[in-house]
Amino acid sequence: MSYSEFPYSRPRRLRRSENVRRMVAENHLSVNDFIAPLFVMEGKGEKVEIPSMPDYYRYTLDLLMEEIEEVQTLGIPAVLLFAKVPDEKKDNEGTEALDPNGLMQKSVRTIKEKFPDLVVMTDVAMDPYSRYGHDGVVEDGKIVNDKSVDILARMAVSHAEAGADFVAPSDMMDGRILLMREALEEAGFPDTGIMAYSAKYASSYYGPFRDALDSAPGFGDKKTYQMDPANVTEAVKEAITDEQEGADIIMIKPGIPYLDVVRAVKDVVSLPVSVYNVSGEYAMIKAAAEKGWINEEEAMMEALIGFKRAGADLIATYFAKDAARILK
Ligand code: PBG
């Protein structure tokens, strides 16, 4: 019998009161951890609630500025921008994505002008601009890699020119981080960072997001480029590859069903790791709470601390504002 065994050892002593629990908490959430994803659309004076994402809106740029004001007041350091593109501007090559006066570029310029200190991250992806809703150029029913990477690299430069602090490629094409880094250096943007969606899974949890941007694939699925949910070693390889190719932040996506992946990647890379608490995860908590089946705030905070425990340094989450308010 030793004092480190029952009845002398009683782990419950460290759970006796709120203050003791606070003292021994192994992980902490902070507003510094949050990245707020935001959806922007063309037009003026409009905000539209996304049906599958209660309390979450798509904004025209003028109203988005008010939303960002709030984000900034709450102390959230970064936003991740997604642009909704009207159907008539979509094609196979994502031409609209490269327009220096496109919605994304205009939004970045406007935001950085008014909020120069806010970290502005942009989604670099073809699917919102693609007639087929895919993250690459389609040829003979296949998503071709190298042509797509070329377009994505130009898109990254275009966002950098507009003033983006970080570009965030979410496509899962091979070699894109290397080519993007090279393109940014050549174009004179050595300070623009890359947050790489290194391990992005072919996930059903993106459903509500595709409603928000009207970006669901027009044919087939994304399984030839996004990862198989069965795999973790492959995620580690993708993360190491992106680190070597010049990524500044490594992202895992989705979040809740992939906490083991966050841990595995965190243990091998020497970069900050972020996790994307995606639209379907948000929708599930919101829907269950609406039905009175779950406590929304508690479920949200539990999911968020779970990301920290798994090893995430940063969390992109639609709950950023709600959680920031609670942490205040
Ligand atoms: C696409 C993209 C997706 C998300 C972010 N970028 C969806 C997809 O791959 O189809 C999903 C984000 C979310 O569900 O919250 N480039």
Side-chain angles (χ1 to χ4, degrees):
M1 165 78 62
S2 94
Y3 287 114
S4 62
E5 282 170 32
F6 185 78
Y8 303 107
S9 164
R10 291 177 183 269
R12 287 184 55 190
R13 284 184 204 118
L14 297 182
R15 300 176 203 143
R16 282 182 63 225
S17 72
E18 182 62 31
N19 273 341
V20 175
R21 289 193 292 273
R22 275 205 301 144
M23 290 165 70
V24 301
E26 297 174 38
N27 291 284
H28 301 276
L29 262 179
S30 142
V31 69
N32 302 332
D33 304 330
F34 298 145
I35 300 168
L38 294 173
F39 302 118
V40 63
M41 62 182 176
E42 291 185 351
K44 247 190 149 168
E46 252 194 288
K47 66 181 222 184
V48 178
E49 190 176 27
I50 298 149
S52 47
M53 299 179 70
D55 304 322
Y56 221 82
Y57 296 83
R58 220 165 48 214
Y59 300 88
T60 54
L61 183 54
D62 52 340
L63 295 191
L64 186 74
M65 296 302 281
E66 296 171 17
E67 176 68 10
I68 293 179
E69 179 103 53
E70 246 187 271
V71 164
Q72 165 134 318
T73 307
L74 284 165
I76 297 165
V79 296
L80 176 56
L81 290 183
F82 296 91
K84 168 143 185 347
V85 184
D87 276 346
E88 62 274 13
K89 291 191 176 168
K90 299 183 182 187
D91 61 17
N92 190 21
E93 284 81 32
T95 312
E96 170 66 16
L98 301 175
D99 180 355
N101 291 314
L103 179 59
M104 177 67 93
Q105 291 83 349
K106 205 169 51 187
S107 303
V108 173
R109 274 197 301 273
T110 311
I111 294 166
K112 285 303 285 189
E113 213 167 276
K114 178 132 189 247
F115 306 102
D117 298 332
L118 183 73
V119 176
V120 174
M121 305 173 131
T122 57
D123 185 53
V124 173
M126 287 179 63
D127 58 331
Y129 300 89
S130 158
R131 193 198 308 151
Y132 302 106
H134 274 291
D135 293 76
V137 177
V138 177
E139 280 176 8
D140 300 326
K142 295 203 165 85
I143 290 72
V144 297
N145 195 85
D146 298 8
K147 244 185 221 174
S148 305
V149 171
D150 182 59
I151 295 169
L152 290 162
R154 283 191 281 150
M155 205 187 294
V157 169
S158 169
H159 293 181
E161 272 164 359
D165 297 291
F166 286 83
V167 292
S170 63
D171 51 282
M172 288 304 278
M173 296 299 119
D174 293 331
R176 87 258 212 233
I177 302 303
L178 179 67
L179 284 148
M180 222 167 257
R181 187 69 264 159
E182 280 175 2
L184 288 168
E185 298 296 318
E186 263 164 41
F189 297 103
D191 296 331
T192 307
I194 301 176
M195 177 166 76
Y197 288 67
S198 300
K200 176 171 177 182
Y201 288 85
S203 173
S204 167
Y205 291 82
Y206 306 149
F209 173 95
R210 292 174 186 172
D211 287 346
L213 289 193
D214 181 27
S215 63
F219 69 89
D221 51 41
K222 297 190 172 186
K223 291 180 184 170
T224 66
Y225 45 104
Q226 297 181 349
M227 282 181 48
D228 183 344
N231 295 353
V232 63
T233 305
E234 187 186 355
V236 167
K237 177 187 165 65
E238 287 279 9
I240 292 174
T241 304
D242 284 356
E243 179 170 35
Q244 289 166 343
E245 289 185 10
D248 299 283
I249 300 173
I250 300 292
M251 171 118 97
I252 310 301
K253 172 182 182 184
I256 298 173
Y258 297 91
L259 296 179
D260 59 322
V261 180
V262 174
R263 169 52 58 196
V265 166
K266 177 65 186 171
D267 286 345
V268 296
V269 299
S270 315
L271 292 174
V273 170
S274 64
V275 64
Y276 201 139
N277 178 210
V278 300
S279 57
E281 300 168 44
Y282 175 85
M284 285 197 305
I285 291 179
K286 282 285 185 183
E290 241 169 51
K291 282 192 168 268
W293 291 350
I294 204 171
N295 179 306
E296 180 177 331
E297 273 191 9
E298 288 173 8
M300 162 183 89
M301 294 308 271
E302 188 174 334
L304 295 173
I305 197 69
F307 297 134
K308 298 298 291 184
R309 193 186 64 247
D313 300 290
L314 298 166
I315 308 166
T317 177
Y318 304 100
F319 288 121
K321 270 173 44 188
D322 294 341
R325 271 192 212 105
I326 291 174
L327 292 170
K328 253 189 179 169

